[in-house]
Amino acid sequence: MADVIADPETDPRATWAVDPSRVRDLTARAVASGAGGELRTQTPLTGAPLAVLPVADARDVAGAVQVASRAQRAWARVPVAERAAVLLRFHDLVLERQSDLLDLVQLESGKARLHAFEEVADCALAARHYGRSAAGYLRESRHLGVYPVLTRTVEHHRPRGVVGIVSPWNYPLSLALTDALPALVAGNAVVLRPDPQGSLTALAGVELLIEAGLPADLFQVVLGPGEPTGQAVVDRADYVCFTGSTATGRKVAQTAGRRLVGASLELGGKNTMYVAADADLRRAVPGAVRACFSSAGQLCISIERLAVHTDVVDAFVPRFVEAVEAMRLSTELHWGGDMGSLANEAQKERFLAHVEDAVAKGARVLTGGRARPDVGPFVVEPTVLEGVTAAMACRDEETFGPLVAIHRVPSDDDAVRLANDTEYGLNASVWTRDVRRGRDIAARIEAGTVNVNEGYASAWGSIASPMGGMKASGVGRRHGREGILKYTESQTVSSQHLVGISPLPRQSDEAFARTLTVALKAFKAVGLK
Ligand code: NAD
């Protein structure tokens, strides 16, 4: 059904694809009867065809959910320590086999190898964290009962069943797998619909999980577009984890709301970095380059607004522009490129439309702004604008590309006002030598993560702490305690000893109420919570 079309004779970047059976093996893991047809993908690196994917229709998805559900019932009885051991073995495999994964991530997303490595590292972090911490997060806890001593109350965290994950194309390894790991270790099965442009990468990651010891039926992968395949997952899963745009997130939330199943939504952002008057520019300049242009800006937590204090703006801007101009564009399958390609034609068109609109309305291009077909079909230059106003689309809309606007701000208050002047609330960054001040500014910013003296990686990589969006950037969190307990239902089991919560035999209702009133006052007086 599936085939590799990239030709290693004419395209040296297709070297991994010499063996078409590899792609056949990968796509053979996907559930598809053939009724859903096929979908062809291309690599953004060259525009060459990459693979033919078997598409799952709604019946295929229903079958996948059924198989996963059956496997889940057995998996939920496996001790947490054994489930966690799978994650810890997966951690090692991801790091050992990284070269193959990096090739796939690059081929499917077009990003530079260093940025592909962020995904490998992210998988290892999530696997280690949940491998080591899941037992603690999932441990049952005793609570004070209604009658102290006589009521024994225990809170349990039961798996929800089948978790449906719909992941986007921009982080094909990370976003397909890191949200699945806590779901699995909590005792759930997963049905994953990766974006078509990340399907091979996701399948290769699942292959490693199975090699690490995960029962194969427990992780079902269905391939195909958002509609019908992604929608079919949302229509059937016991819990939905969606990552993508705010517009699609609203649709997913509507379906989940109608079905009364839980959902976490990781959506878009319009993220601000603030360079305060006392920032160390030797660190802030390269930090801004990383924050704005990693994965060519196709990163939900990427910085698209650069608020620079007027005291340092004239020192910061020329150094920043110089650093951006020194970046090496690359579509090679090896290390060394500072920025790769955009993912597809639509992404390129959106980027160019934002630049054109801003320039037509008076913005100045300090560097970049053009497509670079000499490097790759969807490659564009990292771009810095100044003079962006509210009349321009790129002021408030997410470009999701390598475009950043410099805003001059005369005070911390103005920087905070700019950061909060958006419907989104995902990520922010503050650069200052005074870390206490940085934290105070962070507290005033409406964003789910704020990095002080880093762009995005310190908060994202602090995997024990929750990550997600405020406002239109999402609902729920990934990472840490929240990132695993969302995949569970809390269940309270309370056993009552000796007496019931009712009048004793031959005690009148009124006497019972009086006794309980005295008891309640005593409970408060002795400090019960
Ligand atoms: P998109 O919403 O158009 O698509 C996201 C995914 O949803 C795609 O794979 C698509 O196939 C699928 N989809 C579409 N309709 C669906 C439906 N009805 N049911 C289920 N799935 C459906 O977004 P995009 O433009 O492809 O991705 C970029 C967006 O994703 C940006 O806004 C970005 O900020 C956001 N994003 C957010 C995070 C985060 O963690 N917050 C991470 C990555 C990307």
Side-chain angles (χ1 to χ4, degrees):
M1 172 84 65
D3 212 347
V4 175
I5 303 163
D7 178 2
E9 296 295 321
T10 53
D11 181 1
R13 280 165 290 195
T15 45
W16 78 275
V18 173
D19 182 5
S21 65
R22 173 78 205 290
V23 172
R24 265 197 294 277
D25 285 351
L26 285 176
T27 52
R29 284 195 187 283
V31 179
S33 59
E38 294 176 341
L39 198 155
R40 286 164 188 275
T41 63
Q42 59 174 185
T43 170
L45 295 177
T46 59
L50 186 63
V52 182
L53 306 175
V55 171
D57 67 6
R59 282 171 74 129
D60 295 329
V61 174
V65 171
Q66 212 169 31
V67 172
S69 180
R70 213 173 302 128
Q72 188 269 332
R73 285 193 281 276
W75 180 245
R77 291 193 292 273
V78 173
V80 180
E82 271 179 53
R83 303 198 299 242
V86 173
L87 268 58
L88 294 173
R89 285 193 290 273
F90 173 74
H91 168 277
D92 298 347
L93 287 172
V94 159
L95 293 177
E96 277 162 26
R97 310 276 175 82
Q98 63 174 273
S99 164
D100 181 51
L101 293 170
L102 293 173
D103 284 354
L104 281 170
V105 171
Q106 283 200 272
L107 278 159
E108 290 202 308
S109 71
K111 65 180 67 178
R113 204 162 185 81
L114 180 64
H115 304 149
F117 178 74
E118 287 183 3
E119 303 202 41
V120 167
D122 191 31
C123 283
L125 271 174
R128 189 196 73 212
H129 178 67
Y130 286 112
R132 292 255 161 84
S133 310
Y137 288 143
L138 297 170
R139 188 167 297 135
E140 61 189 37
S141 44
R142 284 281 299 268
H143 295 295
L144 179 70
V146 52
Y147 288 170
V149 185
L150 301 181
T151 316
R152 183 180 181 278
T153 298
V154 180
E155 179 189 355
H156 302 268
H157 302 288
R158 311 289 191 206
R160 288 182 180 266
V162 176
V163 170
I165 298 181
V166 176
S167 58
W169 43 266
N170 60 330
Y171 271 64
L173 185 65
S174 259
L175 295 177
L177 291 179
T178 57
D179 290 319
L181 299 176
L184 293 166
V185 76
N188 298 284
V190 167
V191 174
L192 166 71
R193 197 301 319 227
D195 190 90
Q197 228 184 308
S199 295
L200 297 180
T201 306
L203 286 161
V206 174
E207 186 180 62
L208 291 186
L209 262 174
I210 291 165
E211 189 176 334
L214 194 78
D217 282 354
L218 200 68
F219 202 131
Q220 302 283 309
V221 183
V222 289
L223 305 182
E227 310 230 15
T229 316
Q231 182 65 46
V233 172
V234 177
D235 284 339
R236 283 165 184 79
D238 299 317
Y239 183 88
V240 177
C241 172
F242 172 81
T243 304
S245 68
T246 295
T248 311
R250 288 188 208 279
K251 275 197 221 164
V252 170
Q254 273 169 7
T255 306
R258 206 172 45 245
R259 296 187 54 230
L260 292 180
V261 298
S264 59
L265 309 165
E266 303 287 343
L267 310 175
K270 190 74 191 176
N271 310 306
T272 297
M273 169 185 284
Y274 173 42
V275 181
D278 67 343
D280 178 351
L281 299 190
R282 285 168 309 179
R283 289 181 61 198
V285 167
V289 171
R290 283 196 305 278
C292 301
F293 304 120
S294 282
S295 293
Q298 300 167 117
L299 171 58
C300 54
I301 47 183
S302 188
I303 298 297
E304 297 193 358
R305 290 174 173 175
L306 244 173
V308 188
H309 196 281
T310 40
D311 285 359
V312 285
V313 72
D314 292 333
F316 176 86
V317 169
R319 288 164 71 170
F320 178 56
V321 168
E322 188 186 342
V324 174
E325 286 177 346
M327 288 174 69
R328 294 156 298 180
L329 299 177
S330 168
T331 49
E332 301 298 324
L333 278 188
H334 29 76
W335 303 97
D338 296 313
M339 195 178 99
S341 175
L342 291 176
N344 51 43
E345 183 66 24
Q347 281 293 106
K348 187 177 88 174
E349 289 307 319
R350 183 177 175 83
F351 167 88
L352 291 174
H354 272 192
V355 174
E356 197 179 316
D357 167 73
V359 170
K361 292 172 181 163
R364 288 176 304 287
V365 178
L366 299 186
T367 183
R370 295 172 308 164
R372 290 293 297 272
D374 53 316
V375 185
F378 313 125
V379 175
V380 299
E381 291 171 339
T383 298
V384 184
L385 299 182
E386 197 173 28
V388 166
T389 68
M392 304 169 192
C394 72
R395 161 66 162 65
D396 295 317
E397 287 175 24
E398 186 182 29
T399 305
F400 216 54
L403 181 61
V404 65
I406 306 264
H407 298 264
R408 293 165 181 255
V409 289
S411 69
D412 294 354
D413 288 349
D414 287 287
V416 170
R417 213 169 291 126
L418 177 71
N420 291 340
D421 183 17
T422 164
E423 64 166 327
Y424 296 112
L426 193 56
N427 183 43
S429 163
V430 179
W431 292 75
T432 168
R433 281 193 170 86
D434 179 353
V435 174
R436 184 190 293 262
R437 178 160 155 239
R439 291 192 184 136
D440 288 346
I441 294 170
R444 295 160 58 201
I445 296 179
E446 298 155 358
T449 52
V450 183
N451 297 263
V452 177
N453 294 330
E454 178 53 58
Y456 63 85
S458 53
W460 179 282
S462 299
I463 193 97
S465 196
M467 185 276 150
M470 295 183 185
K471 296 166 24 182
S473 288
V475 175
R477 296 288 184 268
R478 52 166 56 105
H479 298 174
R481 175 175 296 276
E482 291 180 54
I484 184 167
L485 292 187
K486 69 182 180 181
Y487 295 127
T488 65
E489 293 274 18
S490 296
Q491 184 186 51
T492 296
V493 177
S494 197
S495 45
Q496 189 63 27
H497 300 271
L498 298 176
V499 294
I501 320 279
S502 60
L504 296 167
R506 286 190 293 282
Q507 188 184 30
S508 72
D509 291 356
E510 194 184 354
F512 169 70
R514 262 200 316 273
T515 312
L516 202 54
T517 301
V518 171
L520 288 170
K521 286 181 176 172
F523 293 164
K524 179 171 181 254
V526 299
L528 294 190
K529 287 184 190 145

